[in-house]
Amino acid sequence: MKLDLNIAPLSSWMPASSEPLIISGPCSAETEEQLLSTAHLLKATGKISVLRAGIWKPRTRPGEFEGIGAEGLVWLNRAKQETGLPTAVEVATAKHVEMALKAGVDILWIGARSTVNPFTVQEIADALQGVDIPVMVKNPINPDLSLWIGALERINRAGITKLAAIHRGFSSYEKSAFRNEPMWDLAIALKTIAPNLPILNDPSHICGTRDLIGFISQKALDLDMQGLMIEAHIDPSVAWTDAKQQLTPAALSELIDTLTLRTPDSENSEFTNKLTEMRGSIDRIDDQIFQKLGERMSIVEKIGTYKRDNDVTILQVNRWDEILQKRTAIGEALKLDKDFIEKVLELIHSESIRKQTAIMNEEKTAVK
Ligand code: PEP
Ligand code: MN
């Protein structure tokens, strides 16, 4: 499946003042002084393209700081005038859209808690009808690709072509080092079905803690994501929201210096030739793998018929244990990761069982 989105190239609306493209600013606008001083220090790094600030904060529990509101839009506009940085804010209602547009905000984004709700996304889309402003859509809280796609489609159908996705990780029941599990596969799946849709990464909300931000940022760039949104605060230790994950502008600047930008393709023809040759080898090996899988499955089918005609169960645990042990030993000798071998074997085994179950449910063909 390919998504039918009408997308303007990122460079047409988000001119990167330096590489990689970085959007930064505080999680929340708190005071005029906090916002302006953060903005000036970020600008001084020379590495930031867009200033972000949360004006309305969707909080899980009532009574927590819910954003400074309209007053913050005035400060943000002042920061824009003084630094020359374009600005971005999160909108969650039609009223937010109206106020942000009136206040001269340059880019809007839809937060993870809004993307989960098609009513909210549609309300925002309706408010954007006929407006020419870039919109970035964060992934929903839960790992549901369709909700993310649906939100992008709703905004695109409202006529917004300056559109990008932001990968900020997904809520997971499992405890892990991350605040939100990256689940990179979902971002890669979105990239595969919408190749012209720019995808940025938000390592701050994935990590939830400062220490991991560099690692996730590099991984995002290695996966060819087009930019990063990283929270920065003049003094993170006293931040009113997301204190643990915000960086000082100086720390952010150092982090950006450690990042390596790798190009998906190279101008160098010797490199390109070598790469083409190696890719050719991979293609041939992949063909062989699938050919062999096909052969294996046709034997599996024969065994299925034989088991059915002799009234034998599909699964024989001893046999499966034997396969697992032998193949894992061979795989490890070939320097393949044990976890990887087990996953591959389990996939092959479950497909074999599926095929044999289908055969079991057919009529017997042979008389014993
Ligand atoms: C934010 O960017 O501050 C924010 C609330 O993010 P998310 O919607 O990803 O939780
Ligand atoms: Mn935040």
Side-chain angles (χ1 to χ4, degrees):
M1 180 182 89
K2 285 276 180 259
L3 265 193
D4 186 21
L5 297 175
N6 181 11
I7 301 291
L10 186 63
S11 57
S12 70
W13 57 271
M14 180 103 79
S17 50
S18 65
E19 296 270 319
L21 167 72
I22 308 282
I23 300 171
S24 186
C27 176
S28 303
E30 298 165 3
T31 64
E32 183 166 23
E33 162 62 18
Q34 167 254 6
L35 183 59
L36 286 172
S37 54
T38 308
H40 279 287
L41 287 178
L42 286 174
K43 170 70 183 179
T45 66
K47 296 167 194 164
I48 308 300
S49 298
V50 176
L51 176 67
R52 65 149 277 159
I55 299 291
W56 301 280
K57 303 302 295 181
R59 305 313 301 276
T60 307
R61 305 277 309 277
E64 294 176 343
F65 175 59
E66 296 196 327
I68 205 72
E71 194 185 355
L73 290 172
V74 180
W75 310 335
L76 193 62
N77 197 267
R78 185 151 169 220
K80 170 175 158 170
Q81 304 306 330
E82 291 183 8
T83 62
L85 289 171
T87 55
V89 300
E90 173 179 351
V91 289
T93 64
K95 186 83 190 144
H96 294 167
V97 172
E98 188 195 313
M99 290 196 277
L101 292 175
K102 214 182 273 170
V105 171
D106 298 287
I107 301 169
L108 307 178
W109 87 80
I110 298 180
R113 289 162 194 78
S114 300
T115 308
V116 286
N117 186 345
F119 287 134
T120 299
V121 176
Q122 193 57 51
E123 179 186 323
I124 297 169
D126 291 344
L128 286 168
Q129 199 80 44
V131 181
D132 180 24
I133 189 159
V135 179
M136 307 186 292
V137 180
K138 288 204 177 190
N139 66 254
I141 297 265
N142 52 323
D144 183 335
L145 183 59
S146 302
L147 271 177
W148 200 2
I149 291 173
L152 288 157
E153 284 176 324
R154 284 177 200 278
I155 302 300
N156 196 223
R157 282 182 195 181
I160 301 292
T161 57
K162 296 169 181 165
L163 191 62
I166 302 181
H167 171 226
R168 51 78 79 195
F170 300 87
S171 177
S172 155
Y173 187 68
E174 306 271 316
K175 276 259 156 292
S176 95
F178 300 110
R179 176 178 175 193
N180 291 295
E181 275 302 306
M183 301 188 196
W184 298 101
D185 291 1
L186 284 169
I188 293 168
L190 180 63
K191 204 173 166 54
T192 311
I193 58 172
N196 58 351
L197 176 74
I199 305 186
L200 314 183
N201 182 265
D202 171 349
S204 305
H205 289 89
I206 289 179
C207 297
T209 152
R210 280 179 277 283
D211 322 346
L212 296 165
I213 293 177
F215 166 71
I216 291 293
S217 300
Q218 186 61 58
K219 173 124 190 181
L221 295 179
D222 292 347
L223 288 173
D224 202 22
M225 294 200 181
Q226 278 118 309
L228 302 167
M229 183 193 257
I230 307 181
E231 288 181 342
H233 188 290
I234 180 87
D235 183 357
S237 68
V238 296
W240 298 0
T241 55
D242 289 351
K244 288 200 199 114
Q245 72 193 32
Q246 301 202 59
L247 296 168
T248 60
L252 175 69
S253 175
E254 277 173 34
L255 185 149
I256 295 168
D257 288 341
T258 66
L259 299 175
T260 311
L261 267 184
R262 300 182 230 276
T263 42
D265 283 305
S266 170
E267 303 284 301
N268 177 331
S269 70
E270 194 188 317
F271 168 85
T272 312
N273 289 344
K274 187 84 195 137
L275 195 66
T276 309
E277 189 189 313
M278 289 191 285
R279 284 184 173 156
S281 308
I282 292 230
D283 290 348
R284 282 189 292 282
I285 294 173
D286 282 350
D287 289 349
Q288 285 169 10
I289 292 175
F290 280 101
Q291 201 178 316
K292 289 290 166 199
L293 278 175
E295 285 172 21
R296 188 186 197 281
M297 288 304 164
S298 63
I299 298 177
V300 161
E301 283 177 7
K302 275 193 202 138
I303 296 180
T305 313
Y306 194 62
K307 283 181 187 166
R308 180 196 63 202
D309 295 347
N310 289 284
D311 294 323
V312 173
T313 57
I314 296 176
L315 181 69
Q316 274 118 13
V317 178
N318 292 347
R319 168 70 179 143
W320 174 233
D321 279 346
E322 179 198 323
I323 290 184
L324 255 184
Q325 273 174 19
K326 280 193 183 157
R327 303 293 186 279
T328 311
I330 295 171
E332 282 188 295
L334 291 167
K335 304 226 172 342
L336 293 173
D337 181 75
K338 187 159 184 272
D339 207 38
F340 168 72
I341 306 165
E342 282 176 5
K343 276 191 195 141
V344 171
L345 285 172
E346 263 157 35
L347 260 182
I348 295 175
H349 188 233
S350 67
E351 176 61 6
S352 306
I353 296 220
R354 193 191 62 78
K355 277 196 176 296
Q356 293 197 347
T357 310
I359 290 169
M360 280 289 168
N361 291 323
E362 287 168 5
E363 287 290 301
K364 285 188 183 182
T365 48
V367 181
K368 271 190 266 181

